[in-house]
Amino acid sequence: MRLETLRNCAVAACLVVLTVTTYQHLGNTSRRAAEARRSGPMSGPSADVGDRICIPGIDLTKAASNLVLAVEESCPASVRSARLLEAFVRRARRRHIPVYVVAGPARRLADAAAVNYPPGLPKPLAIKPTDLGIGRIPTVALLDSAGVVRRLQIGSAPEGEEDRTVDEFFSDGGNATEPLRSVTIEEVQAMRKRRESFQLVDPRAPEERPDVTPLSGALRIPAQDLGIRGPYELSGSSLIVVDCRIIGGFACQAALLRLRSSGFTRAAGLALTRMGESPLCGS
Amino acid sequence: MSMSLAGVISIVAGVSLTAAGLGGALPETPAIRLPTRTMLAKVARFALPTCPIGSTAKGFIIARVETRADGTVQTVSIEPSWDRNLENSPEAKSIQYLLKNWSFKPETLRGVPVMVRSRIFFYVDCHSPHPMIAVPGLTDTRKEAR
């Protein structure tokens, strides 16, 4: 009797150990996934307004505008991204704009459709976002019939701001269609010599890259704060040059887009890396 | 006898592993991060300091705030900035003190109230003829926070 009890206890203990180990493994996996989400699964330079995107097997000339959504590749679409993407799809359908979704291999699996894939989105094409030159997700791009990016939305929108974001994206006003400009260090030096009016921004956070000495006269405003601090600390009439050599290409693009959405239409990136034409256009 | 000994060893090993496992794998409930704009939309009660007499401070002071699940403020810290003078200024200390008494509408995640952390920007302009400390997007809507 005692032997049997001990055996049962041993089995129970083993089961507990097994459960805890599994739980711990799942915890680590979700933590890793959360870290990946925070850092962003892809962080390379991405296609910009004015660049050309080609989608193999799709004739973009059939419609005046085409909407391309690049959705998350390795982790399930977050609720926030999904809401925004669905709002984009609804609006595009109302305007009879064809919608194409590109995603990584994980999304294209048949089983993946059942796991958190937003139901309002069309079935993804068998193309990776990076193949189109899209280095960041979620990205929404409005292409004209030649495949040229006319509007771009990178990242998700704050909760409750989905419709406003979509409205802004599809609005025809403003200078949003101008591509982000890149300037060289020589151009900056020449502008200084000519005493042209421009403001140089050092977009590092205080704890970021302390080893780098910024260009003289640069205003230190972290890239992520430019949207809020820009209107108070920068002059809207002069050219704003963000030093993209210090931070990554994507972070700099995002900073320039933030400035643009705050009303700074004259913003440029110093040595801004751009993807240019997508690699598939030549094939 | 040997069987019972094995059982005892299994139990001891199991219990110690369980304790170790639970110690490392308890689910974390971190505060969720909200964008500044969203956080400002949740402000229920706030108070702002005024410029101290003689102050000529000008610039941004950024406060990191963490709320409890009920929306009351739990911790406030001033974010390090390039401008060390402003970071350690009397304005920053007043902001930190007053921000502790702010309250926010509770944020829920799938119906469950959760802790929230966010960054709140204070624009200090004590140098101008009309000295002020404002929060873009809350008390100063001319230049909307994005």
Side-chain angles (χ1 to χ4, degrees), chain A residues 2-3 6-7 9-10 13-14 16-17 20 23-24 28 31 38 79-80 158-159 161 164 168 202 204-210 220-222 224-225 227-233 258 261-263, chain B residues 1 3-4 7-8 10-11 13-15 17-18 20-22 24-28 33-38 59-60 62 64 79-82 84 107 119 121 123 132 136-137 140 143-146:
Chain A
R2 222 178 75 197
L3 197 67
L6 277 172
R7 200 182 299 144
C9 284
C14 286
V16 167
V17 169
V20 167
Y23 181 64
Q24 215 168 15
N28 289 340
R31 210 170 298 141
R38 271 197 295 277
V79 177
R80 192 172 286 171
E159 202 180 333
E161 294 291 313
R164 196 178 70 90
E168 275 180 13
D202 174 3
R204 275 178 300 166
E207 65 274 11
E208 200 176 12
R209 302 285 306 273
R220 290 179 162 183
I221 306 178
Q224 59 169 347
D225 300 345
I228 294 176
R229 293 178 58 174
Y232 288 83
E233 296 182 82
R258 259 182 225 123
S261 64
S262 297
Chain B
M1 181 60 197
M3 190 64 180
S4 62
V8 170
S10 300
I11 291 165
V15 167
L17 275 172
T18 307
L22 283 175
L26 275 176
E28 295 161 22
R33 197 178 69 81
L34 284 187
T36 302
R37 191 191 172 95
T38 315
F60 271 90
I62 303 162
R64 288 177 182 162
E79 193 166 282
S81 72
W82 292 115
R84 298 278 174 212
E107 171 75 5
R119 299 163 76 225
F121 291 70
Y123 181 60
M132 63 155 184
D140 190 358
K143 294 167 180 175
E144 198 183 1
R146 283 180 182 270

Side-chain angles (χ1 to χ4, degrees), chain A residues 22-219:
Chain A
T22 313
Y23 181 64
Q24 215 168 15
H25 172 73
L26 286 173
N28 289 340
T29 312
S30 64
R31 210 170 298 141
R32 273 195 298 272
E35 276 162 17
R37 266 200 298 279
R38 271 197 295 277
S39 60
M42 291 194 282
S43 56
S46 199
D48 186 20
V49 175
D51 292 340
R52 192 165 157 242
I53 285 179
C54 302
I55 310 175
I58 303 291
D59 185 6
L60 296 174
T61 57
K62 282 182 180 172
S65 299
N66 302 273
L67 195 71
V68 175
L69 311 180
V71 301
E72 294 181 49
E73 186 170 16
S74 53
C75 45
S78 72
V79 177
R80 192 172 286 171
S81 299
R83 262 191 231 135
L84 179 70
L85 295 173
E86 283 173 339
F88 269 111
V89 172
R90 275 197 305 274
R91 187 67 58 90
R93 283 184 177 149
R94 217 179 297 154
R95 289 173 163 233
H96 307 289
I97 297 172
V99 181
Y100 304 103
V101 178
V102 288
R107 276 272 160 266
R108 294 203 302 273
L109 293 171
D111 291 347
V115 186
N116 287 326
Y117 189 74
L121 261 58
K123 204 177 162 193
L125 301 168
I127 303 164
K128 283 190 281 184
T130 44
D131 292 341
L132 301 183
I134 296 173
R136 196 73 189 179
I137 47 178
T139 289
V140 181
L142 187 70
L143 315 182
D144 64 13
S145 55
V148 176
V149 181
R150 294 294 172 199
R151 294 273 196 283
L152 202 60
Q153 160 72 31
I154 301 174
S156 55
E159 202 180 333
E161 294 291 313
E162 292 88 0
D163 286 332
R164 196 178 70 90
T165 307
V166 175
D167 285 343
E168 275 180 13
F169 184 88
F170 284 108
S171 69
D172 296 316
N175 297 311
T177 50
E178 277 182 24
L180 294 174
R181 201 179 134 198
S182 178
V183 294
T184 60
I185 187 79
E186 290 77 22
E187 283 176 274
V188 169
Q189 282 162 351
M191 281 194 290
R192 269 198 179 144
K193 271 186 189 166
R194 290 196 299 266
R195 293 177 183 274
E196 278 181 34
S197 167
F198 75 97
Q199 283 172 294
L200 196 59
V201 174
D202 174 3
R204 275 178 300 166
E207 65 274 11
E208 200 176 12
R209 302 285 306 273
D211 53 311
V212 178
T213 312
L215 286 174
S216 64
L219 267 170

Side-chain angles (χ1 to χ4, degrees), chain B residues 45-74:
Chain B
R45 190 183 69 221
F46 72 95
L48 287 175
T50 50
C51 285
I53 295 167
S55 168
T56 54
K58 187 174 179 177
F60 271 90
I61 293 172
I62 303 162
R64 288 177 182 162
V65 63
E66 191 167 303
T67 68
R68 298 183 190 92
D70 65 356
T72 54
V73 176
Q74 187 170 34

